[in-house]
Amino acid sequence: GAGVSQSPSNKVTEKGKDVELRCDPISGHTALYWYRQRLGQGLEFLIYFQGNSAPDKSGLPSDRFSAERTGESVSTLTIQRTQQEDSAVYLCAEQSFGPGGLPAGELFFGEGSRLTVL
Amino acid sequence: QQQVKQSPQSLIVQKGGISIINCAYENTAFDYFPWYQQFPGKGPALLIAIRPDVSEKKEGRFTISFNKSAKQFSLHIMDSQPGDSATYFCAASPHDYKLSFGAGTTVTVRA
């Protein structure tokens, strides 16, 4: 299950605009995560998808953030009314399911979408 | 609230030297402790991982030492090479799910 494609790789937007970030895992039927990485900081969990549902949205920082996944594959992270503090690299990762149908083992990350809000 | 604390923030080592990065956690439910390596402009990639049934794991020049009672684990990079220059993240999770990452350590290996 290696290989995650993210787009756009870079996005510059004005404060108040909406942005959509896309994640396209190569493998289907995997767990999918979104993380945020602010400059010089660690990775911050945003949301977890199992299939097309998101049983854990606890990391979304505000109601301006939403995400969906379709076809147990492509996922889109949407940020509405962007703010300067949203500037970060948004990383998507996929993970296989182990015995028992739970996520297991290595996370495979994409190269991220760098968002700059002016 | 950061669940995994990592230090140092950065380190510089001479080629051939040893790099040591330390991490500490509080959540006793954590049972999976991976290290990820990230090069500029790339996503993190798994380097090595350990589970608490062993106190040490070695893969090539990379070794994880794990101290369950102290709730600490560390990464040792032996014979550091310029190609090892990267940011290293420790992480921890219960049952492989929803990793909590440390803040990262930028390692620079001087030739």
Side-chain angles (χ1 to χ4, degrees):
Chain A
V4 176
S5 178
Q6 290 189 245
S7 61
S9 55
N10 277 287
K11 176 72 176 179
V12 180
T13 191
E14 293 180 349
K15 178 181 173 181
K17 300 285 189 182
D18 297 351
V19 296
E20 282 191 356
L21 308 176
R22 178 185 169 109
C23 173
D24 200 340
I26 289 187
S27 300
H29 309 294
T30 55
L32 188 144
Y33 300 82
W34 283 95
Y35 280 86
R36 178 168 70 176
Q37 184 175 22
R38 287 178 163 147
L39 186 64
Q41 298 186 23
L43 282 69
E44 177 187 6
F45 168 81
L46 296 178
I47 188 169
Y48 160 72
F49 284 94
Q50 183 166 346
N52 292 334
S53 65
D56 191 342
K57 306 178 183 179
S58 62
L60 294 178
S62 75
D63 59 8
R64 296 186 295 105
F65 287 72
S66 63
E68 65 175 12
R69 190 181 185 193
T70 56
E72 298 191 15
S73 181
V74 174
S75 177
T76 303
L77 176 69
T78 301
I79 308 173
Q80 295 179 309
R81 304 181 303 281
T82 52
Q83 303 295 311
Q84 288 182 332
E85 65 261 27
D86 300 334
S87 296
V89 176
Y90 290 84
L91 290 160
C92 175
E94 65 173 348
Q95 185 182 31
S96 297
F97 289 109
L102 295 174
E106 181 175 0
L107 264 64
F108 294 94
F109 283 90
E111 295 192 345
S113 292
R114 180 177 297 278
L115 174 65
T116 303
V117 182
L118 301 177
Chain B
Q1 181 184 359
Q2 200 156 35
Q3 295 202 56
V4 181
K5 295 184 179 180
Q6 183 172 348
S7 64
Q9 187 174 4
S10 63
L11 67 89
I12 299 172
V13 63
Q14 291 296 120
K15 180 181 175 182
I18 302 173
S19 304
I20 302 174
I21 306 169
N22 299 299
C23 287
Y25 65 97
E26 288 296 326
N27 189 339
T28 55
F30 288 161
D31 63 358
Y32 175 60
F33 303 90
W35 287 85
Y36 279 76
Q37 180 188 54
Q38 185 179 33
F39 294 103
K42 303 294 185 182
L46 179 66
L47 184 64
I48 186 173
I50 197 169
R51 298 189 189 270
D53 52 342
V54 296
S55 60
E56 185 174 282
K57 183 175 182 180
K58 183 177 181 179
E59 289 185 2
R61 297 183 293 105
F62 300 90
T63 300
I64 299 179
S65 297
F66 181 75
N67 185 329
K68 187 174 180 179
S69 61
K71 294 192 287 230
Q72 295 176 348
F73 57 112
S74 60
L75 177 70
H76 291 62
I77 307 173
M78 313 300 287
D79 187 26
S80 297
Q81 300 297 310
D84 297 333
S85 297
T87 299
Y88 294 81
F89 294 95
C90 62
S93 72
H95 312 305
D96 297 23
Y97 166 68
K98 190 178 169 182
L99 286 173
S100 294
F101 285 84
T105 298
T106 300
V107 174
T108 302
V109 182
R110 294 261 166 86

